[in-house]
């Protein structure tokens, strides 16, 4: 049986890894290489690495950085941040990414997902969609590290991404991010029902029970950042917990 | 130390494959042309991406004949990884135009997921085999490997299917005939048992 | 297979009041670009030390042995200036502490002399030395895997005293300074005060790594790691193990501690220690030079920066002087530490200088340093790396 994946997420900004609450990522937490090696020693399922300021700072992916990190990373690695053209995708795959996440590019670079999927195959392309609840209660898609409200509906953007050839959807609640209070289950559920490709839940995980909730809502995999950085919980414990809840996991 | 040519046709991450092979004690290098292929003790064809684009690149780089000579005529041990395995087929449903290397009587089709399954098939899944093949020596059946693909290889010769994985019913996980092997999953990303498989491949002789 | 990057070098921001760079893990700069450590230090002015003293006495009274059947508390010590200070204060309070030292892997002669001196203050003392052969393997693996040669030592410093607390049923551990300054320790919590595994992960600075992760590497087996095994939560609860940081209850100053310690026979180094600005700390382990150097490679600051910040906050030196001193002493390649040559430190852990250099390269955060057009960090005349900027541009 296909095993459920638990995916630690590393957020990078300026000089190192960061973590924050609600996408306000100002707290430096350490050295990316160190974090990667620790996860690798634990045999995690996959890693997601996001350069959270690339688009805001008007630059593309930092290939040299990813090259260095990928050299140390013997696990499946998804890299995102600042991907706006097919060359960015090619460059990242070339230096060591297995999959490339496209976030702001989904909205601002029409045709990118289609072109990249045609060239490199759907399985390399992860459509990364951040959502926030607006003051009026509507949940919309936000880009540029959660600073720009596109006004668009989550499901509409997800379905479009799938149609264009994305292989997976990463749904992140910018509001829940870093709160350790649980995922935005409603958003995850809506997307999981609307698409036929795997959905990765992200933003808000604080306990392994949150993983079970997200899987119950239809996610195929669960991502977490703050939970692994700031609590004593490890991905392996998460695996045991969801295994006990009946989901297939790696031994 | 075996010289292992890793065919680089510009479509994907070859670094991981190079590193993994080096970790297993091979002298791995990137192969771009016929000479690179001719001087290899073993050949690895990695691949991620679209079937047509891959065949077009291999054609453009004039690698198809040298590969066929080395692998089929001179029986240089060969390992295709992921798309590299699918290219062994005669043809693919993906894209449309190009044929494959046609070294196996097989066809590449899009995966038809079962209820509650999603495509691409991405993540860790079990590889089931009867433990008779040298390429899987020391790897217990039902060991998990990392898969990420939307298409799968359907072989006409059941003897050439060494292992399968339970997804969409069953999909082909490992094929082999003589010294030619293909794996659908990514051994270079499958940690300890992935490295074991590569080590097994390095031990294959003509 | 590096590709050229279009990103121009970022400028490192430094705190406007001290000289700590923004790259230090867990630090926060406020809107005035003043760091959280400076803010915390400033808030010490509002602390009522009498209240804190009373809290300390209360806690100590609650956990001491009232029938002299056991020691009143366990004090994890190293023989350093802070250990001397802690014991002096606890003895003044009339306590009967048990000192527990987890021996460093490369104990220096001066380190040993200071331990003996500390004992002469009048305390019971036990020393736990883990299997040195295993320790050296652990140190090498830790250096290669997480870029921290001192990680195993760090684990044992936290673990051995807690194991003793459980074994001897002594509930209170008295640590010295807490890196976060404003935290008193689990004994100050209003509800459950027991030390737990979770607490260790959060406050122990273990980088998310556990000793059990190392089993299977380089011949390390589970049975080699008994002394590194943290007691279970059940064992901790059974004894009610808890702890305090003395630095929360008493105004803490390393320099003043050193003076007090010296007056009681503590020995300092004759000259400023390599990579540092002082003579009176980190005297017990020749591997410390490597530890500090890696901090510099990863985050752009070393021990000199730490010390300069502490003294600037206390108005003992100006910020301008701090910048200068840091430039002079921080981040130098650790050719020697306390006079011990680097080869003498690397040899026992089975690493050559070349191997060491490549581990350094892997953990160097290149964004912090001036690099040539191939992305390779440039070195100055002395072979040291050069930061992209040593202070704020304005």
């Amino acid at each position: 049986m296909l095993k459920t994946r638990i995916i630690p997420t590393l957020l990078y900004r300026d000089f190192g890894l960061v973590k924050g609450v609600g996408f306000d990522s100002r707290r430096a937490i350490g050295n990316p290489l160190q974090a990667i090696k620790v996860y690798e020693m634990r045999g995690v399922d996959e890693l997601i690495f996001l350069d959270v300021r690339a688009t805001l700072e008007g630059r593309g992916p930092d290939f040299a950085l990813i090259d260095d990190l990928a050299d140390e990373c013997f696990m499946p690695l998804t890299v995102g941040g600042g991907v706006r053209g097919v060359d960015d995708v090619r460059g990242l795959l070339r230096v060591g990414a297995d999959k490339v996440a496209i976030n702001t590019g989904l909205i601002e670079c029409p045709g990118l997902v289609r072109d990249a999927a045609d060239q490199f195959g759907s399985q390399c392309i992860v459509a990364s969609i951040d959502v926030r609840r607006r003051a009026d209660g509507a949940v919309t898609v936000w880009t540029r590290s959660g600073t720009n409200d596109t006004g668009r509906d989550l499901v509409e953007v997800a379905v479009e991404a799938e149609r264009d050839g994305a292989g997976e959807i990463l749904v992140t609640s910018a509001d829940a991010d870093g709160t350790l209070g649980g995922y935005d289950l409603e958003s995850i559920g809506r997307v999981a029902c609307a698409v036929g490709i795997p959905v990765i839940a992200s933003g808000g995980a604080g306990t392994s029970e949150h993983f079970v909730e997200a899987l119950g809502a239809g996610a195929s995999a669960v991502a977490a950042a703050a939970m692994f950085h700031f609590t004593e919980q490890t991905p392996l414990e998460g695996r045991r917990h969801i295994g006990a809840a009946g989901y297939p996991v790696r031994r | 130390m075996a010289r292992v040519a890793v065919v680089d046709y510009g479509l994907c991450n070859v670094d991981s494959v190079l590193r993994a092979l080096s970790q297993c004690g091979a002298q791995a290098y990137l192969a771009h042309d016929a000479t690179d292929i001719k001087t290899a003790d073993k050949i690895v064809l990695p691949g991620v991406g679209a079937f047509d684009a891959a065949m077009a690149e291999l054609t453009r780089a004039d690698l198809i004949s040298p590969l066929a000579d080395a692998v089929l005529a001179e029986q240089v041990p060969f390992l295709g990884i992921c798309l590299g395995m699918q290219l062994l087929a005669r043809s693919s449903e993906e894209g449309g135009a190009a044929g494959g290397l046609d070294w196996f009587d097989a066809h590449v089709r899009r995966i038809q997921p079962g209820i509650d399954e999603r495509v691409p098939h991405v993540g860790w899944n079990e590889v089931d085999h009867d433990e008779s093949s040298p390429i899987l020596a020391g790897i217990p059946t039902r060991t998990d490997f990392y898969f990420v693909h939307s298409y799968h290889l359907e072989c006409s010769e059941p003897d050439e299917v060494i292992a399968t994985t339970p997804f969409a019913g069953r999909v082909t996980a490992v094929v082999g005939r003589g010294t030619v092997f293909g794996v659908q999953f990514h051994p270079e990303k499958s940690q300890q048992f992935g490295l074991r498989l590569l080590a097994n491949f390095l031990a294959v002789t003509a | 297979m590096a590709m050229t990057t279009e990103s121009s070098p970022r400028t490192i921001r430094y705190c406007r009041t001290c000289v700590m760079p923004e790259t230090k893990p867990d630090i926060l700069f406020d809107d005035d670009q003043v760091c959280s450590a400076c803010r915390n230090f400033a808030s010490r002015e509002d602390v009522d030390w009498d209240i804190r003293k009373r809290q300390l006495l209360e806690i100590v009274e609650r956990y001491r042995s009232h029938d002299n059947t056991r020691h009143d508390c366990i004090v994890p010590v190293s023989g350093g200036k802070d250990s001397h200070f802690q014991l002096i204060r606890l003895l003044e309070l009339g306590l009967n502490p048990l000192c527990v030292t987890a021996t460093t892997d490369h104990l220096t002669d001066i380190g040993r002399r200071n331990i003996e001196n500390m004992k002469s203050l009048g305390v019971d003392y036990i020393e736990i030395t883990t299997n040195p052969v295993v320790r050296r393997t652990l140190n090498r693996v830790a250096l290669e895997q997480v870029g921290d040669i001192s990680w195993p030592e760090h684990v044992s410093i936290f673990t051995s005293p807690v194991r003793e607390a459980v074994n001897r049923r002594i509930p209170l551990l008295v640590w010295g300074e807490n890196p976060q300054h404003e935290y008193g320790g689990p004994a100050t919590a209003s509800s459950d005060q027991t030390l737990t595994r979770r607490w260790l992960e959060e406050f122990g600075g273990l980088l998310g790594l556990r000793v059990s992760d190392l089993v299977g590497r380089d011949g390390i087996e589970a049975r080699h790691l008994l002394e590194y095994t943290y007691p279970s939560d059940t064992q901790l609860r059974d004894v009610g193990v808890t702890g305090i940081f003395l630095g929360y209850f008493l105004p803490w100053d390393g320099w003043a501690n050193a003076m007090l310690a010296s007056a009681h026979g503590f020995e300092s180094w004759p000259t400023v220690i390599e990579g540092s600005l002082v003579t009176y700390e980190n005297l017990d382990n020749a591997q410390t030079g490597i530890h500090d150097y890696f901090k510099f490679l990863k985050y752009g600051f070393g021990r000199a920066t730490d010390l300069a910040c502490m003294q600037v906050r206390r108005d003992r030196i100006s910020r301008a002087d701090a910048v200068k001193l840091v430039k002079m002493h921080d981040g130098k390649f650790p050719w020697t530490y306390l006079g011990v040559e680097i080869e003498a430190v690397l040899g026992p852990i089975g690493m050559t200088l070349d191997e060491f250099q490549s581990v350094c390269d892997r953990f160097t955060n290149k964004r912090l340093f001036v690099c040539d057009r191939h992305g390779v960090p440039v070195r100055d005349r002395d072979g040291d790396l050069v930061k992209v900027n040593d202070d704020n541009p304005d």
Side-chain angles (χ1 to χ4, degrees):
Chain A
M1 281 219 66
L2 181 62
K3 307 300 187 292
T4 314
R5 293 167 284 154
I6 295 177
I7 312 175
T9 303
L10 302 179
L11 303 176
Y12 185 88
R13 175 191 165 152
D14 296 330
F15 294 100
L17 298 183
V18 291
K19 198 46 211 152
V21 176
F23 274 25
D24 174 22
S25 53
R26 285 192 296 160
R27 186 169 168 183
I29 54 171
N31 179 282
L33 178 56
Q34 202 168 277
I36 285 174
K37 298 310 280 185
V38 172
Y39 283 131
E40 186 190 297
M41 273 192 263
R42 301 259 175 86
V44 298
D45 299 323
E46 274 188 45
L47 269 191
I48 295 176
F49 185 90
L50 302 174
D51 180 341
V52 297
R53 303 281 294 182
T55 298
L56 278 177
E57 290 171 6
R59 53 178 178 77
D62 188 339
F63 298 109
L65 169 68
I66 302 301
D67 195 1
D68 283 344
L69 294 178
D71 280 349
E72 302 278 350
C73 184
F74 284 82
M75 303 157 282
L77 178 65
T78 301
V79 178
V83 177
R84 300 181 72 80
V86 171
D87 284 344
D88 291 333
V89 179
R90 177 180 300 111
L92 284 174
L93 294 176
R94 193 137 183 94
V95 296
D98 296 294
K99 293 185 260 176
V100 174
I102 301 173
N103 187 304
T104 301
L106 275 184
I107 308 293
E108 295 185 10
C109 308
L112 172 57
V113 172
R114 161 67 51 218
D115 289 341
D118 281 347
Q119 274 235 335
F120 309 108
S122 293
Q123 70 287 340
C124 296
I125 309 299
V126 177
S128 168
I129 309 176
D130 300 329
V131 294
R132 272 197 202 282
R133 188 171 300 274
R134 288 202 296 222
D136 62 7
V139 172
T140 53
V141 172
W142 290 57
T143 56
R144 299 184 163 258
S145 300
T147 60
N148 176 53
D149 181 3
T150 67
R152 296 194 56 192
D153 173 64
L154 166 63
V155 169
E156 190 191 298
V157 172
V159 166
E160 205 173 87
E162 179 188 27
R163 187 202 62 210
D164 285 345
E168 290 174 282
I169 310 271
L170 172 68
V171 181
T172 305
S173 163
D175 295 328
D177 183 63
T179 62
L180 301 173
Y183 292 104
D184 176 355
L185 297 175
E186 191 190 309
S187 295
I188 291 163
R190 287 182 61 221
V191 174
C193 284
V195 300
I197 56 181
V199 174
I200 305 168
S202 166
T207 68
S208 301
E209 191 52 30
H210 292 148
F211 292 158
V212 175
E213 288 171 2
L215 296 171
S220 303
V222 288
M227 177 178 159
F228 295 137
H229 291 308
F230 295 132
T231 76
E232 84 289 9
Q233 299 170 93
T234 67
L236 287 190
E237 285 162 4
R239 203 186 273 173
R240 257 178 255 134
H241 187 90
I242 66 177
Y247 291 94
V249 287
R250 282 169 75 197
R251 275 172 284 115
Chain B
M1 228 197 220
R3 276 178 54 81
V4 181
V6 176
V7 181
D8 178 14
Y9 50 117
L11 285 190
C12 69
N13 165 25
V14 289
D15 261 1
S16 305
V17 176
L18 280 174
R19 263 184 295 123
L21 287 167
S22 304
Q23 268 227 315
C24 293
Q27 194 191 4
Y29 64 96
L30 292 181
H32 298 107
D33 56 32
T35 321
D36 293 335
I37 302 291
K38 283 203 183 79
T39 53
D41 296 322
K42 295 187 165 57
I43 300 169
V44 173
L45 181 68
V48 155
F51 191 96
D52 277 1
M55 286 308 297
E57 255 314 297
L58 286 175
T59 307
R60 190 200 59 75
D62 227 349
L63 287 169
I64 297 185
S65 301
L67 282 171
D69 286 342
V71 177
L72 302 177
E74 293 173 38
Q75 299 186 351
V76 173
F78 172 95
L79 177 68
I81 297 176
C82 194
L83 179 64
M85 168 172 120
Q86 293 176 0
L87 294 175
L88 295 172
R90 172 159 306 142
S91 58
S92 168
E93 201 178 81
E94 184 186 357
L101 293 171
D102 196 13
W103 297 350
F104 277 62
D105 186 2
H107 183 64
V108 173
R109 278 193 213 293
R110 191 167 170 83
I111 296 174
Q112 296 303 317
I115 314 274
D116 292 338
E117 285 180 332
R118 294 170 182 256
V119 173
H121 176 214
V122 48
W124 296 80
N125 206 340
E126 294 147 32
V127 169
D128 299 330
H129 61 103
D130 64 7
E131 300 183 0
S132 63
S133 172
I135 196 89
L136 291 168
I139 299 169
T141 185
R142 301 190 62 199
T143 297
D144 288 317
F145 283 83
Y146 189 78
F147 290 82
V148 54
H149 61 119
S150 308
Y151 289 79
H152 71 117
L153 191 71
E154 280 185 352
C155 291
S156 304
E157 289 293 325
D159 286 347
E160 290 174 347
V161 176
I162 293 174
T164 60
T165 190
F167 189 77
R170 292 232 144 242
V171 290
T172 307
V174 181
V175 295
R177 185 184 66 235
T179 53
V180 186
F181 299 95
V183 292
Q184 181 61 69
F185 47 79
H186 288 268
E188 76 283 10
K189 290 280 157 171
S190 297
Q191 290 161 357
Q192 159 206 9
F193 285 110
L195 290 178
R196 180 60 204 256
L197 185 139
L198 291 175
N200 290 343
F201 171 66
L202 293 175
V204 166
T205 47
Chain C
M1 217 184 286
M3 294 177 62
T4 50
T5 171
E6 287 168 24
S7 3
S8 49
R10 290 171 197 58
T11 311
I12 304 168
R13 290 188 315 156
Y14 292 84
C15 173
R16 292 205 178 278
T17 48
C18 71
V19 291
M20 190 59 75
E22 63 181 319
T23 45
K24 181 183 163 85
D26 287 324
I27 207 172
L28 271 174
F29 279 15
D30 64 18
D31 295 327
D32 296 319
Q33 206 168 310
V34 172
C35 79
S36 37
C38 283
R39 292 288 179 211
N40 287 334
F41 184 77
S43 70
R44 273 174 36 146
E45 298 228 322
D46 307 324
V47 171
D48 185 336
W49 292 106
D50 289 329
I51 292 186
R52 293 273 176 100
K53 180 82 181 282
R54 256 179 278 140
Q55 264 182 297
L56 173 65
L57 293 174
E58 250 168 44
I59 291 172
V60 147
E61 196 49 39
R62 199 181 326 145
Y63 290 102
R64 70 192 304 168
S65 169
H66 296 281
D67 57 4
N68 289 321
T69 53
R70 59 163 176 82
H71 293 87
D72 292 327
C73 61
I74 284 192
V75 187
V77 288
S78 63
K81 65 174 182 355
D82 292 339
S83 302
H84 277 73
F85 175 77
Q86 280 167 261
L87 291 179
I88 291 165
R89 287 287 179 254
L90 292 175
L91 291 172
E92 277 168 3
L93 293 179
L95 291 177
N96 182 19
L98 174 66
C99 297
V100 177
T101 291
T103 326
T104 74
D105 189 38
H106 201 131
L107 184 61
T108 55
D109 294 336
I110 186 175
R112 172 55 68 192
R113 291 196 298 271
N114 279 332
I115 286 174
E116 296 307 310
N117 184 71
M118 181 188 68
K119 292 183 204 174
S120 72
L121 292 173
V123 284
D124 286 331
Y125 167 92
I126 60 177
E127 186 172 315
I128 295 161
T129 307
T130 56
N131 179 335
V133 174
V134 169
R135 169 64 74 88
R136 276 156 191 189
T137 306
L138 290 175
N139 287 355
R140 182 172 47 73
V141 172
L143 182 60
E144 288 167 352
Q145 294 302 314
V146 293
D148 188 354
I149 195 174
S150 305
W151 185 85
E153 179 172 299
H154 206 77
V155 173
S156 73
I157 285 172
F158 267 97
T159 303
S160 286
V162 177
R163 287 173 62 86
E164 285 311 302
V166 167
N167 291 344
R168 293 163 180 265
R169 303 192 71 83
I170 303 172
L172 183 65
L173 285 140
V174 180
W175 289 290
E177 189 185 21
N178 156 52
Q180 283 158 304
H181 301 294
E182 71 281 15
Y183 174 59
T188 59
S190 41
S191 53
D192 182 16
Q193 302 189 327
T194 319
L195 201 61
T196 54
R197 167 97 230 181
R198 175 173 197 152
W199 182 93
L200 175 72
E201 294 286 346
E202 217 177 309
F203 294 100
L206 300 183
L207 312 175
L209 191 58
R210 292 191 191 178
V211 169
S212 52
D213 293 326
L214 302 173
V215 172
R217 303 186 81 99
D218 293 67
I220 296 169
E221 299 168 43
R223 68 190 180 95
H224 295 140
L225 303 178
L226 296 175
E227 196 48 46
Y228 298 91
T229 307
Y230 205 73
S232 69
D233 281 357
T234 312
Q235 288 173 305
L236 294 167
R237 256 181 235 296
D238 182 47
V239 174
V241 176
T242 185
I244 52 172
F245 289 98
L246 217 53
Y248 174 81
F249 302 96
L250 310 169
W252 191 275
D253 176 21
W255 199 52
N257 292 0
M259 204 157 87
L260 205 63
S262 299
H264 286 74
F266 170 81
E267 204 183 318
S268 305
W269 198 247
T271 50
V272 163
I273 298 166
E274 300 95 323
S276 173
L277 294 181
V278 304
T279 61
Y280 54 67
E281 56 156 35
N282 290 332
L283 295 162
D284 59 348
N285 191 350
Q287 294 172 351
T288 302
I290 291 175
H291 168 74
D292 288 345
Y293 186 59
F294 268 74
K295 207 162 82 169
F296 181 78
L297 295 176
K298 291 179 193 175
Y299 304 116
F301 75 97
R303 195 62 193 152
T305 297
D306 285 328
L307 291 161
C309 291
M310 286 180 218
Q311 303 314 328
V312 166
R313 283 180 206 132
R314 289 165 171 82
D315 289 324
R316 291 198 189 111
I317 60 173
S318 66
R319 190 179 182 283
D321 270 340
V323 172
K324 227 184 305 179
L325 293 179
V326 165
K327 182 77 182 157
M328 282 171 67
H329 291 275
D330 221 20
K332 304 298 172 202
F333 188 85
W335 291 110
T336 65
Y337 188 76
L338 295 173
V340 179
E341 310 238 333
I342 193 169
E343 287 89 345
V345 179
L346 295 175
I349 67 166
M351 204 183 257
T352 66
L353 193 57
D354 279 343
E355 285 165 343
F356 176 71
Q357 190 56 65
S358 55
V359 180
C360 290
D361 291 342
R362 280 170 56 223
F363 283 96
T364 301
N365 184 342
K366 301 199 183 76
R367 267 128 233 98
L368 298 171
F369 302 102
V370 177
C371 295
D372 65 21
R373 62 193 172 80
H374 301 291
V376 177
V378 304
R379 291 173 188 282
D380 67 11
R381 218 172 6 199
D382 302 312
D384 294 312
L385 299 185
V386 181
K387 280 202 288 188
V388 291
N389 58 300
D390 296 306
D391 198 2
N392 299 308
D394 39 18

